[in-house]
Short mmCIF file of all heavy atoms in Angstrom, two decimals:
data_model
loop_
_atom_site.label_atom_id
_atom_site.label_comp_id
_atom_site.label_asym_id
_atom_site.label_seq_id
_atom_site.Cartn_x
_atom_site.Cartn_y
_atom_site.Cartn_z
N LYS A 66 -7.66 6.45 2.44
CA LYS A 66 -7.01 7.43 1.56
C LYS A 66 -8.12 8.36 0.84
O LYS A 66 -9.19 7.72 0.33
CB LYS A 66 -6.15 6.80 0.47
CG LYS A 66 -5.54 7.84 -0.49
CD LYS A 66 -4.69 7.11 -1.58
CE LYS A 66 -4.11 8.10 -2.56
NZ LYS A 66 -5.17 8.79 -3.34
N CYS A 72 0.60 8.21 -2.62
CA CYS A 72 1.27 7.15 -1.90
C CYS A 72 2.70 7.21 -2.27
O CYS A 72 3.27 6.43 -2.99
CB CYS A 72 0.59 5.79 -2.36
SG CYS A 72 -1.03 5.51 -1.60
N GLY A 98 1.79 -0.98 -0.90
CA GLY A 98 0.82 -1.24 -2.07
C GLY A 98 0.12 0.18 -2.39
O GLY A 98 -0.77 0.64 -1.66
N ARG A 99 0.69 0.83 -3.38
CA ARG A 99 0.27 2.24 -3.62
C ARG A 99 -1.14 2.34 -4.38
O ARG A 99 -1.53 1.43 -5.06
CB ARG A 99 1.33 2.85 -4.55
CG ARG A 99 2.60 3.06 -3.93
CD ARG A 99 3.75 3.21 -4.88
NE ARG A 99 4.97 3.24 -4.03
CZ ARG A 99 5.67 4.39 -3.84
NH1 ARG A 99 5.44 5.48 -4.54
NH2 ARG A 99 6.80 4.36 -3.14
N LEU A 100 -1.69 3.43 -4.14
CA LEU A 100 -2.86 3.84 -4.95
C LEU A 100 -2.65 5.07 -5.69
O LEU A 100 -1.84 5.94 -5.20
CB LEU A 100 -4.21 4.06 -3.99
CG LEU A 100 -4.63 2.87 -3.22
CD1 LEU A 100 -5.81 3.30 -2.31
CD2 LEU A 100 -5.11 1.69 -4.10
N ASP A 101 -3.31 5.27 -6.88
CA ASP A 101 -3.16 6.57 -7.63
C ASP A 101 -3.81 7.65 -6.81
O ASP A 101 -4.53 7.55 -5.98
CB ASP A 101 -3.83 6.47 -8.98
CG ASP A 101 -3.33 5.27 -9.81
OD1 ASP A 101 -2.13 4.98 -9.64
OD2 ASP A 101 -4.14 4.81 -10.61
N ALA A 102 -3.22 8.92 -7.30
CA ALA A 102 -3.79 10.10 -6.57
C ALA A 102 -5.33 10.26 -6.59
O ALA A 102 -5.88 10.76 -5.72
CB ALA A 102 -3.18 11.26 -7.18
N ASP A 103 -5.94 9.76 -7.71
CA ASP A 103 -7.31 9.97 -7.76
C ASP A 103 -8.10 8.68 -7.29
O ASP A 103 -9.33 8.53 -7.47
CB ASP A 103 -7.83 10.23 -9.22
CG ASP A 103 -7.35 9.20 -10.27
OD1 ASP A 103 -6.54 8.22 -9.88
OD2 ASP A 103 -7.63 9.23 -11.41
N THR A 104 -7.43 7.66 -6.73
CA THR A 104 -7.94 6.52 -6.10
C THR A 104 -8.25 6.68 -4.62
O THR A 104 -7.34 7.28 -3.98
CB THR A 104 -7.19 5.27 -6.35
OG1 THR A 104 -6.99 5.17 -7.70
CG2 THR A 104 -7.76 3.97 -5.85
N THR A 105 -9.36 6.23 -4.03
CA THR A 105 -9.60 6.28 -2.70
C THR A 105 -9.50 4.95 -2.05
O THR A 105 -9.42 3.89 -2.70
CB THR A 105 -11.05 6.87 -2.43
OG1 THR A 105 -11.98 6.09 -3.06
CG2 THR A 105 -11.09 8.29 -2.89
N LYS A 129 -6.70 -8.18 -3.40
CA LYS A 129 -7.01 -6.79 -3.22
C LYS A 129 -8.38 -6.55 -3.96
O LYS A 129 -8.42 -6.91 -5.17
CB LYS A 129 -5.99 -5.78 -3.77
CG LYS A 129 -4.68 -5.76 -2.95
CD LYS A 129 -3.50 -6.64 -3.49
CE LYS A 129 -2.36 -6.64 -2.61
NZ LYS A 129 -1.46 -7.69 -3.06
N TYR A 131 -11.28 -4.06 -5.37
CA TYR A 131 -11.61 -2.60 -5.77
C TYR A 131 -13.07 -2.51 -6.20
O TYR A 131 -13.61 -3.44 -6.90
CB TYR A 131 -10.69 -2.19 -6.91
CG TYR A 131 -9.21 -2.17 -6.57
CD1 TYR A 131 -8.51 -3.26 -6.66
CD2 TYR A 131 -8.58 -0.95 -6.31
CE1 TYR A 131 -7.06 -3.23 -6.39
CE2 TYR A 131 -7.25 -0.91 -5.94
CZ TYR A 131 -6.46 -2.07 -6.05
OH TYR A 131 -5.22 -1.89 -5.74
N LEU A 189 -13.73 -5.78 -8.46
CA LEU A 189 -12.61 -6.51 -8.98
C LEU A 189 -11.57 -7.05 -7.97
O LEU A 189 -11.18 -6.09 -7.24
CB LEU A 189 -11.93 -5.70 -10.03
CG LEU A 189 -10.78 -6.33 -10.87
CD1 LEU A 189 -11.26 -7.51 -11.73
CD2 LEU A 189 -9.95 -5.41 -11.71
N ILE A 191 -7.92 -8.65 -7.43
CA ILE A 191 -6.62 -9.04 -8.03
C ILE A 191 -5.65 -9.34 -7.12
O ILE A 191 -5.77 -9.04 -5.84
CB ILE A 191 -6.13 -7.94 -9.01
CG1 ILE A 191 -5.97 -6.56 -8.22
CG2 ILE A 191 -7.11 -7.76 -10.17
CD1 ILE A 191 -5.32 -5.43 -9.03
N GLU A 193 -2.28 -8.89 -7.74
CA GLU A 193 -0.92 -8.18 -8.05
C GLU A 193 -1.17 -6.68 -8.20
O GLU A 193 -2.37 -6.30 -8.05
CB GLU A 193 -0.45 -8.71 -9.43
CG GLU A 193 -1.37 -8.60 -10.49
CD GLU A 193 -0.98 -9.42 -11.81
OE1 GLU A 193 0.20 -9.80 -11.94
OE2 GLU A 193 -1.96 -9.71 -12.50
N GLY A 194 -0.14 -5.92 -8.41
CA GLY A 194 -0.35 -4.52 -8.44
C GLY A 194 0.57 -3.70 -9.46
O GLY A 194 1.37 -2.86 -9.01
N LYS A 195 0.38 -4.23 -10.69
CA LYS A 195 1.14 -3.50 -11.66
C LYS A 195 0.79 -2.13 -11.79
O LYS A 195 -0.41 -1.73 -11.27
CB LYS A 195 0.85 -4.16 -13.09
CG LYS A 195 1.41 -5.61 -13.25
CD LYS A 195 1.18 -6.01 -14.71
CE LYS A 195 1.24 -7.45 -15.02
NZ LYS A 195 2.02 -8.40 -14.33
N TYR A 196 1.52 -1.26 -12.28
CA TYR A 196 1.39 0.21 -12.43
C TYR A 196 -0.09 0.37 -13.10
O TYR A 196 -0.38 -0.11 -14.19
CB TYR A 196 2.38 0.84 -13.35
CG TYR A 196 2.28 2.37 -13.59
CD1 TYR A 196 2.44 3.16 -12.50
CD2 TYR A 196 2.14 2.87 -14.83
CE1 TYR A 196 2.36 4.61 -12.67
CE2 TYR A 196 2.09 4.20 -15.06
CZ TYR A 196 2.07 4.99 -13.94
OH TYR A 196 2.11 6.43 -14.19
N HIS A 197 -1.02 1.25 -12.44
CA HIS A 197 -2.36 1.51 -12.94
C HIS A 197 -3.02 0.25 -13.39
O HIS A 197 -3.82 0.23 -14.29
CB HIS A 197 -2.26 2.43 -14.17
CG HIS A 197 -1.73 3.83 -13.84
ND1 HIS A 197 -2.01 4.42 -12.64
CD2 HIS A 197 -1.19 4.71 -14.58
CE1 HIS A 197 -1.45 5.70 -12.72
NE2 HIS A 197 -0.95 5.84 -13.81
N GLN A 198 -2.87 -0.85 -12.62
CA GLN A 198 -3.34 -2.15 -13.10
C GLN A 198 -4.84 -2.19 -13.40
O GLN A 198 -5.25 -2.58 -14.52
CB GLN A 198 -3.08 -3.30 -12.18
CG GLN A 198 -3.69 -4.51 -12.54
CD GLN A 198 -2.88 -5.79 -12.21
OE1 GLN A 198 -1.70 -5.70 -11.80
NE2 GLN A 198 -3.41 -6.90 -12.38
N VAL A 199 -5.64 -1.71 -12.53
CA VAL A 199 -7.12 -1.84 -12.74
C VAL A 199 -7.57 -0.99 -13.96
O VAL A 199 -8.38 -1.47 -14.75
CB VAL A 199 -7.93 -1.51 -11.40
CG1 VAL A 199 -9.35 -1.40 -11.65
CG2 VAL A 199 -7.46 -2.31 -10.24
N LYS A 200 -6.97 0.26 -14.01
CA LYS A 200 -7.36 1.03 -15.09
C LYS A 200 -6.89 0.49 -16.47
O LYS A 200 -7.73 0.58 -17.44
CB LYS A 200 -6.68 2.49 -14.99
CG LYS A 200 -7.27 3.38 -13.76
CD LYS A 200 -6.50 4.58 -13.51
CE LYS A 200 -7.02 5.39 -12.26
NZ LYS A 200 -6.17 6.30 -11.73
N ARG A 201 -5.76 -0.13 -16.47
CA ARG A 201 -5.27 -0.70 -17.70
C ARG A 201 -6.01 -1.95 -18.07
O ARG A 201 -6.18 -2.25 -19.21
CB ARG A 201 -3.77 -1.01 -17.55
CG ARG A 201 -2.88 0.28 -17.65
CD ARG A 201 -1.49 0.10 -17.07
NE ARG A 201 -0.73 -0.60 -17.94
CZ ARG A 201 0.30 -1.43 -17.53
NH1 ARG A 201 0.53 -1.57 -16.25
NH2 ARG A 201 1.04 -2.14 -18.41
N MET A 202 -6.51 -2.71 -17.08
CA MET A 202 -7.30 -3.93 -17.37
C MET A 202 -8.61 -3.58 -17.99
O MET A 202 -8.89 -4.24 -18.98
CB MET A 202 -7.56 -4.72 -16.00
CG MET A 202 -6.30 -5.42 -15.52
SD MET A 202 -6.67 -6.20 -13.90
CE MET A 202 -7.17 -7.79 -14.38
N VAL A 210 -12.16 3.30 -16.66
CA VAL A 210 -12.43 3.54 -15.21
C VAL A 210 -12.60 5.02 -14.92
O VAL A 210 -11.81 5.83 -15.25
CB VAL A 210 -11.23 3.05 -14.30
CG1 VAL A 210 -11.37 3.48 -12.79
CG2 VAL A 210 -11.05 1.52 -14.49
N LEU A 213 -12.37 4.85 -8.74
CA LEU A 213 -11.71 3.60 -8.15
C LEU A 213 -11.52 3.73 -6.71
O LEU A 213 -11.08 4.82 -6.20
CB LEU A 213 -10.44 3.53 -8.85
CG LEU A 213 -9.58 2.14 -8.65
CD1 LEU A 213 -10.46 0.93 -8.99
CD2 LEU A 213 -8.40 2.22 -9.61
N HIS A 214 -11.91 2.66 -5.96
CA HIS A 214 -11.86 2.73 -4.53
C HIS A 214 -11.41 1.31 -4.06
O HIS A 214 -12.03 0.40 -4.42
CB HIS A 214 -13.28 3.02 -3.92
CG HIS A 214 -13.39 2.98 -2.56
ND1 HIS A 214 -12.89 3.95 -1.70
CD2 HIS A 214 -13.84 2.03 -1.62
CE1 HIS A 214 -13.27 3.70 -0.37
NE2 HIS A 214 -13.79 2.51 -0.42
N ARG A 215 -10.36 1.16 -3.18
CA ARG A 215 -9.89 -0.10 -2.77
C ARG A 215 -10.64 -0.38 -1.39
O ARG A 215 -10.52 0.41 -0.52
CB ARG A 215 -8.43 -0.15 -2.50
CG ARG A 215 -8.02 -1.53 -2.14
CD ARG A 215 -6.48 -1.79 -2.44
NE ARG A 215 -5.56 -1.06 -1.64
CZ ARG A 215 -4.32 -0.92 -1.97
NH1 ARG A 215 -3.86 -1.57 -3.06
NH2 ARG A 215 -3.56 -0.12 -1.26
N1 URA B 301 -5.15 0.05 -10.14
C1 URA B 301 -5.15 1.29 -10.61
O1 URA B 301 -5.31 1.49 -11.75
N2 URA B 301 -5.01 2.40 -9.77
C2 URA B 301 -4.87 2.23 -8.44
O2 URA B 301 -4.82 3.18 -7.76
C3 URA B 301 -4.94 0.94 -7.96
C4 URA B 301 -5.02 -0.10 -8.76
#
Side-chain angles (χ1 to χ4, degrees):
K66 179 187 176 296
C72 289
R99 292 157 185 254
L100 295 179
D101 298 335
D103 57 356
T104 302
T105 57
K129 288 98 185 170
Y131 294 85
L189 179 67
I191 57 177
E193 56 193 338
K195 294 186 195 329
Y196 181 65
H197 291 332
Q198 172 144 355
V199 175
K200 292 172 184 165
R201 289 163 71 209
M202 287 175 90
V210 172
L213 189 55
H214 175 81
R215 184 156 65 196

